[in-house]
Structure formats: structure tokens, C-alpha cells
Amino acid sequence: MPFKLTDEQIMIQTMVRDFAREVLLPTAMERDRTKEFPAENLRKMGTLGLMGMMVPPEYNGAGVDTLSYVLALQEVAYACASTAVVMSVHNSIVCETINRFGTEEQKQTYLKPLAAGDVIGAFALTEPEAGSDPVSQLTWAERDGEHYIIHGTKRFITSGKHAGVTIITAKTDKTKRHKGISAFIVKKGAPGFTVGKTEEKMGLCASDTTDLVFEDCRIPAGNLLGQEGDGFKIAMTALDGGRIGIAAQSVGVAQAALDAAISYAKAREQFGQPISKFQGLRWMLADMATELEAARQLTFSAAAMKDRGERYTMQASIAKLFASEMVNRVTAKALQIHGGYGYIKEYPVERFYRDARVFTIYEGTSEIQRVVIANHLLEDRYVGTLR
């Protein structure tokens, strides 16, 4: 492995692997069926330090590096992708954003309970008419003395129903396009803030995805993140870290699918021998493993660049693009190797296939990742290397 893990990173990976396979994995299929939010498991993860991994200890975080977080998230995704997406948004976007842009009061009030796992966080950028183009959002906020009043609807919000704290973006100056967007912290129960419909989804069924509705929602002026007009910058910075999280989830689900395919191929017999003896299938497994390892290394590279304080936006998009498309190919092949059994809910590859499909869509579609990558390639500062 090009990335030599430290003893601490190996310890974290081992600890999370044991927890995920003993606690999360046995009930993942049932949660997929019932759509039950994994609240109790998330509380357990909070006690293990998994809900504020990159947050400093003074704010109840574990204070570990991004690579350790990636290793942990991969193990959670291996066991239960629904739990992993909640963990990813909570850590990569919500906790990191408040830690980076929040005031000391905001950190004391919101970050500490988030990092402890006492409260779940959500991030609300997407709207019914604004997905890949956040500048088109219609949600707006106006200052009213010591408060802001927010109006609008957010869509496809992960953990929207169960989140106690949500970071939202809204226009505070409609004449300035992206420079007129601001970010706010909204607490559950704020006047005028309600949860709208919960989506019926193809996969990640134990993770709720909802509308959030703001009708004259009044929040304290102190809940503004950064300054007015910083919202677009804050959101894009958050998504850089979030895309590393999506890549890590993709690697975890793909590893689960590959392991399931290998196990099935060894046990399933046709024409008098295990199907693992057939060259065509062996080559499928080899291709799956090769793509998976490439995605893992790209994810590690992006995480390491972030930890070194380097500019990592392009590497995060590369990792997210390749890993999310890889997991769709790998889960499809794993299902194919299972034959008709792969189409049956009794076998986990059916769930892996459904869970993986959204990875090329959320937190920036594959097409948007290609736009980001191309823009960086064509910048004057690009010198032909990612390092």
C-alpha cells in the first residue's frame, strides 16, 4: 500500500471494523426493509468518537486526521451504507463547517453536542429548482433587528427529519449572484421551520431524505455562519470535504460487494465445479478488485492532501468521480455473478446495487465533478501534477 498507515490509524480502522461488523452489519438488511433510522447505533458511534472525528477534543471531538476518518467511514459503509451517509454528512460537512467557519459561541452551542453524537446534523443547499446550480436557489433571508427571517424550501436533505441542527444557505442579496448567498445554523424547532415530505428512495432506505420548509422562520442573528455573502464559499468548501466522504463510502460498499461476489463464486457450483473456476468470472473479479484499489488510493490521496493543508479540491472531485462510478460498476458485476439470486432481497448484493446508485448524483453529479476537474486543469496555476 503506497500509504503507510500509522499505528493509530490501524487501531482506529480495526476498532471501527469490529464495531461495524458486530453491531451495524447484522441488522442492515432489516433497516433497509423497515426504513428505521439508526438512531441508537449513531448514539453508540458517538460514544466511540465517530460523530466528531476531525473536531478538536476541546469541542468533544476525537481530533483525528482525515485519513483516519476515511478508514472509519469505509468500514461503516461496508456494513451499512445508510448509516455511513448520515455519518458522512454529519462529519464531513456539518461538523467541519462549524469548526472552520463558526464563532466560539457557535462552537460551544452547536459543535460540541454534534461532535459528541448527541445531535445529528444536516446540510441544506439543494432546492426544487436548484440542484447542480446553487446560484439559482430561491431561498432568501432578511435581517430584522437581532434576527434573520428565512423563506424558502430545501429538497433532498439527508437526515432532514432527524437532524437537530441544520446548516442552510439563503440569499441575503439577490443582486450579487453567488456573492449574495449566506449560510445559517438553524436549530430544530425554530419558529417557522418544518420538515416537509420524506422521499421514497431506491436505496439508502434507513437514511431519511426530506424537504425542509422555511415560512417566516426566525433565527437569532448570531446564527449567521461567517459574514453575509460567505455562503457560497462555505458550501463549496464543505462539499470538497464531503466528496472525500462519498469516495470513502463508495470504497466501503464496493469492498462489501466484491467480498460477497468472491464468497458466492467459491460456493456456487455449475457444470460440476465452483463458478470461481471459470476464466470469464475470474477476470470479472480481477477487474473489480483493480478498480476498487484504484479508488481507494485516490481517496487516500485526497485525504492526505487535505491533512497536509494543500489545495485538494481537484483531487477530491477526482476521487469522488472515479469511486462513485466504480462502485456502480462493481456492484453491478457482483449482482451478475450471483445470477438470479443477485436480484433477490435475501442476498445483500441487491441492496449494495441500490445503495450505490445515488453516489454519482449527490454532493455533485459526475458531470459536475468533470466540470470542476476541467476548470482546475485549465487554470494558469496548473503545472501538470496533482502534488
Side-chain angles (χ1 to χ4, degrees), residues 109-322:
T109 303
Y110 300 110
L111 183 57
K112 291 181 79 171
L114 284 164
D118 296 332
V119 175
I120 298 299
F123 178 72
L125 174 65
T126 300
E127 297 185 7
E129 303 301 325
S132 296
D133 179 16
V135 178
S136 297
Q137 66 183 286
L138 299 177
T139 299
W140 58 282
E142 59 182 347
R143 184 74 180 257
D144 180 24
E146 295 303 311
H147 294 82
Y148 279 94
I149 301 175
I150 303 172
H151 317 256
T153 299
K154 296 294 184 177
R155 178 148 294 172
F156 302 144
I157 308 306
T158 298
S159 305
K161 182 178 178 180
H162 292 88
V165 173
T166 302
I167 296 174
I168 79 151
T169 58
K171 288 184 176 178
T172 46
D173 189 333
K174 299 177 183 179
T175 68
K176 293 183 178 180
R177 293 182 54 78
H178 70 281
K179 292 184 178 180
I181 298 172
S182 301
F184 302 89
I185 301 172
V186 182
K187 190 175 181 180
K188 188 174 187 178
F193 173 33
T194 58
V195 176
K197 70 171 181 176
T198 299
E199 303 291 349
E200 293 288 335
K201 300 178 299 183
M202 175 189 293
L204 301 178
C205 295
S207 162
D208 62 288
T209 301
T210 72
D211 280 1
L212 299 180
V213 181
F214 301 88
E215 296 178 334
D216 294 325
C217 174
R218 182 175 290 267
I219 64 170
N223 283 28
L224 173 70
L225 261 178
Q227 303 299 316
E228 282 196 11
D230 286 348
F232 185 82
K233 177 186 71 175
I234 289 172
M236 294 304 103
T237 302
L239 288 175
D240 284 345
R243 286 163 182 167
I244 296 176
I246 302 301
Q249 292 173 63
S250 299
V251 169
V253 173
Q255 186 68 65
L258 175 60
D259 288 355
I262 291 170
S263 178
Y264 183 83
K266 287 180 177 180
R268 175 69 168 170
E269 290 194 3
Q270 291 288 275
F271 305 103
Q273 60 182 331
I275 62 173
S276 60
K277 297 292 186 181
F278 296 107
Q279 185 182 67
L281 188 144
R282 294 168 74 94
W283 283 11
M284 287 174 67
L285 292 171
D287 287 344
M288 292 159 70
T290 300
E291 287 200 71
L292 172 57
E293 187 60 25
R296 195 190 321 272
Q297 298 305 323
L298 285 172
T299 306
F300 285 170
S301 176
M305 290 178 74
K306 180 173 180 287
D307 286 334
R308 292 194 298 265
E310 299 175 11
R311 189 169 180 248
Y312 68 96
T313 296
M314 177 175 166
Q315 192 68 13
S317 284
I318 288 174
K320 198 270 188 186
L321 170 64
F322 186 84

